[in-house]
Amino acid sequence: MASLDEIREGRLHKLELLKAKGINPYPAKIPRDFSLAELNNDFAEKETSGESFSVAGRIMALRGQGAILFVVLFDGTAKFQVILKKDELGEEELSFFTDTVDIGDFISVTGIALTSQRGEASVLAKSWTMGVKTLLPLPEKWHGLTDVDERYRKRYLDFLMDDEARELVFKKSKFWDVTREFLKKEGFLEVETPTLETTTGGAEAEPFKTHHNDYDLPVFLRISVGELWQKRLMAGGFPKTFEIGRAYRNEGSSPEHLQEFTNMEFYWSFADYTDGMELVTKMYRTIAIEVFGKTEFTTRGHTFDLAHEWPQVDYVDEIKKQTGIDVTSASEDDMKMKLQELKVRYEGENKERLTDTLWKYCRKNITGPAFLVNHPALVGPLAKLNADGKTVQIFQPIIAGSELGKGYSELNDPIDQAERFALQQKLIEGGDKEAMMPDMDFVEMLEYGMPPTCGFGFGERLFAFLADKPLRELQTFPLMRPRVE
């Protein structure tokens, strides 16, 4: 088998053959009247008319020898067979094609529609034009790129050779299109909010830090999709808003977590978390049906149906049921002992982190769909208190053992908010990198008044669960460490 260097040398020789004949191997444009998908749709009409036309694409397969060649072209819309015959092109031209063209090259073919002897829709070539002469070969057809690292580094080849990987890109686009269309039909206005912030708000996560040279000021990449900004829009008289955009968190990677991802957040004035649960149920079912054509899924070892009723799971009661710990009254030492007993690794030793770690242990046992409610106030610094004064009005869709979204009855009491920010500041001073940065300008806005509001957000993790794929697999171009030569 020839080495990659030997293959490249052979193709460079073919490149010189093209140039010697006065052919530009990299023209700015080649003849193309319509896409291969359009040709496929209108094939009967094209064959009946007998008119000549031009199509173009990358050669994905090439077989035959002597008087006839069969070529499969792909242009990103469809694959289509082209037949090159000595009787049509002439012996010299067909021989030149054989001597200079390889699988992977882009060509244009001008010819007529013809059904082959095997009954396959084809183009009978009258002439051809080189579009791009490739110097490196495509991966072997049946195995593609089997090394995961290589697949992610050469994602363009992965998409080219793997129909499922390419189809997931289209499906993910539809996922966000359906989300956007659903919210607009419900009367939400799409907005844009800053991605560079002087304080990060709306979530508890370690941010990426950078520097604004013009203002000589440290700034952060946002960790939420404009939560505190969209709430300012509520105060400004916008009744319903949403944003779909990128968020960034300088945290570890896992099948469910990445440092850069797409999220959606909506804010709805004069609504609370019960209204939010009703709308989110409807939205998730709509996404499932319109994107995946079903409501029943199997993923991460769980089988669930989004068309079923969504019961409410009490945060404190569920942890107590599964671990025996009441997180509203247990000491930090009690929580640590329980986590050690359960052989659960934990980071951070304050009560908020320990409570969250206990919940994460419990959630994997819940198939759902369900809504997690009544979180301890400590883990919801932006949510309204319940009447008990200990828990808050948060709702989280629980599906296949994971939270696939989060919403609140948003806190709009400026005094309460200032006190909770003060508590977050103490956590920061204690070394908690994920505690929420206080935003006193936001508190000032609340003093002017924000209407009762429901906010909710979800990310592409929902798509990953419904597609039953790791989140990294669904990134078009995952972040990779530079290759060490």
Side-chain angles (χ1 to χ4, degrees):
M1 181 181 292
S3 70
L4 200 60
D5 286 341
E6 289 171 334
I7 292 172
R8 188 171 184 275
E9 283 300 317
R11 294 197 177 198
L12 284 169
H13 174 68
K14 294 177 181 182
L15 184 72
E16 292 306 315
L17 290 178
L18 289 164
K19 291 180 178 179
K21 198 173 179 180
I23 296 172
N24 179 2
Y26 304 105
K29 189 174 182 179
I30 52 179
R32 183 175 186 255
D33 294 321
F34 35 74
S35 71
L36 295 177
E38 291 171 311
L39 172 58
N40 192 55
N41 292 336
D42 300 333
F43 180 78
E45 180 184 334
K46 294 284 188 292
E47 187 174 32
T48 300
S49 73
E51 295 179 358
S52 181
F53 56 83
S54 298
V55 290
R58 185 195 286 268
I59 298 175
M60 301 301 294
L62 198 164
R63 60 185 175 85
Q65 57 185 0
I68 186 168
L69 297 176
F70 297 90
V71 173
V72 176
L73 292 184
F74 175 60
D75 68 348
T77 69
K79 292 179 180 177
F80 211 88
Q81 177 172 277
V82 172
I83 301 173
L84 297 95
K85 298 176 69 175
K86 182 175 68 174
D87 293 346
E88 296 291 337
L89 295 174
E91 183 175 357
E92 183 179 345
E93 188 64 19
L94 186 62
S95 178
F96 185 71
F97 182 94
T98 303
D99 291 342
T100 58
V101 175
D102 292 289
I103 291 175
D105 293 351
F106 289 83
I107 64 170
S108 167
V109 173
T110 300
I112 60 171
L114 173 76
T115 300
S116 71
Q117 290 183 354
R118 294 186 177 183
E120 186 171 353
S122 307
V123 176
L124 178 62
K126 302 293 185 178
S127 64
W128 68 279
T129 303
M130 176 59 72
V132 172
K133 179 62 199 169
T134 57
L135 302 183
L136 292 173
L138 297 180
E140 199 273 329
K141 178 181 178 182
W142 301 112
H143 299 97
L145 294 172
T146 54
D147 180 82
V148 173
D149 184 79
E150 194 75 356
R151 284 179 54 227
Y152 289 160
R153 289 187 187 280
K154 299 179 180 177
R155 203 67 156 128
Y156 48 92
L157 295 179
D158 188 29
F159 292 139
L160 187 63
M161 306 305 293
D162 187 335
D163 290 342
E164 182 187 10
R166 187 170 58 254
E167 179 58 31
L168 283 169
V169 176
F170 288 103
K171 190 166 282 189
K172 186 177 176 183
S173 177
K174 186 173 183 180
F175 172 85
W176 289 119
D177 284 345
V178 170
T179 301
R180 178 176 281 106
E181 182 180 354
F182 175 88
L183 290 168
K184 287 187 174 183
K185 284 183 177 178
E186 292 289 333
F188 287 81
L189 174 70
E190 186 169 12
V191 297
E192 293 181 336
T193 61
T195 56
L196 289 176
E197 303 179 309
T198 54
T199 58
T200 59
E204 295 178 89
E206 184 175 355
F208 285 95
K209 186 176 181 179
T210 184
H211 190 82
H212 194 298
N213 289 339
D214 190 31
Y215 289 179
D216 190 20
L217 166 90
V219 291
F220 305 92
L221 290 174
R222 68 183 182 182
I223 59 175
S224 74
V225 186
E227 174 163 346
L228 301 188
W229 300 106
Q230 289 198 62
K231 289 180 187 178
R232 287 171 168 89
L233 293 176
M234 298 297 102
F238 293 89
K240 292 181 175 182
T241 65
F242 79 96
E243 181 175 4
I244 297 172
R246 300 297 269 179
Y248 308 86
R249 298 181 183 181
N250 199 2
E251 303 173 332
S253 301
S254 77
E256 297 182 27
H257 296 87
L258 291 174
Q259 292 81 16
E260 178 184 2
F261 51 92
T262 300
N263 260 24
M264 181 285 303
E265 293 192 26
F266 74 67
Y267 292 84
W268 179 10
S269 62
F270 306 106
D272 69 359
Y273 78 135
T274 61
D275 299 308
M277 283 187 270
E278 183 178 345
L279 183 67
V280 167
T281 302
K282 181 180 175 183
M283 178 166 57
Y284 279 32
R285 288 171 177 168
T286 299
I287 290 170
I289 291 169
E290 294 193 18
V291 179
F292 295 91
K294 60 183 180 179
T295 59
E296 185 174 346
F297 299 83
T298 297
T299 183
R300 275 68 165 176
H302 296 265
T303 296
F304 57 91
D305 192 334
L306 297 177
H308 289 170
E309 291 299 313
W310 294 42
Q312 294 183 12
V313 175
D314 186 280
Y315 188 108
V316 176
D317 289 349
E318 187 65 27
I319 293 178
K320 190 172 183 180
K321 181 173 76 173
Q322 291 197 40
T323 70
I325 293 287
D326 184 338
V327 294
T328 61
S329 59
S331 68
E332 293 172 0
D333 286 340
D334 290 337
M335 291 183 179
K336 291 177 191 176
M337 288 177 60
K338 176 55 66 173
L339 288 167
Q340 291 165 5
E341 176 189 324
L342 296 171
K343 296 182 171 57
V344 175
R345 179 173 169 270
Y346 59 91
E347 295 180 1
E349 299 194 353
N350 61 59
K351 191 165 185 178
E352 181 177 3
R353 291 289 153 255
L354 295 169
T355 299
D356 185 55
T357 304
L358 279 167
W359 160 247
K360 287 176 179 175
Y361 167 81
C362 297
R363 71 183 180 186
K364 65 180 182 292
N365 299 316
I366 302 173
T367 293
F371 283 113
L372 182 67
V373 297
N374 298 331
H375 299 54
L378 189 64
V379 301
L382 295 172
K384 266 190 178 299
L385 283 169
N386 283 313
D388 62 11
K390 297 179 180 179
T391 60
V392 289
Q393 294 183 12
I394 292 180
F395 66 104
Q396 290 184 274
I398 305 299
I399 297 172
S402 188
E403 304 112 332
L404 299 183
K406 191 173 188 177
Y408 311 150
S409 292
E410 301 291 348
L411 181 60
N412 60 352
D413 178 340
I415 296 173
D416 188 359
Q417 184 65 82
E419 290 172 351
R420 294 204 219 174
F421 275 158
L423 177 58
Q424 292 295 308
Q425 182 61 41
K426 288 182 180 179
L427 294 175
I428 292 172
E429 291 168 358
D432 189 337
K433 295 181 179 180
E434 295 185 6
M436 191 175 297
M437 294 183 190
D439 184 340
M440 301 317 292
D441 286 342
F442 176 74
V443 174
E444 181 183 34
M445 178 276 289
L446 293 180
E447 292 194 351
Y448 282 102
M450 183 184 82
T453 296
C454 173
F456 178 80
F458 71 78
E460 53 191 290
R461 188 194 306 176
L462 172 61
F463 178 72
F465 269 67
L466 298 183
D468 195 20
K469 296 288 184 182
L471 194 54
R472 187 171 172 82
E473 178 74 18
L474 298 172
Q475 297 293 294
T476 312
F477 295 101
L479 180 66
M480 303 292 292
R481 294 180 188 274
R483 198 194 301 271
V484 177
E485 298 296 341

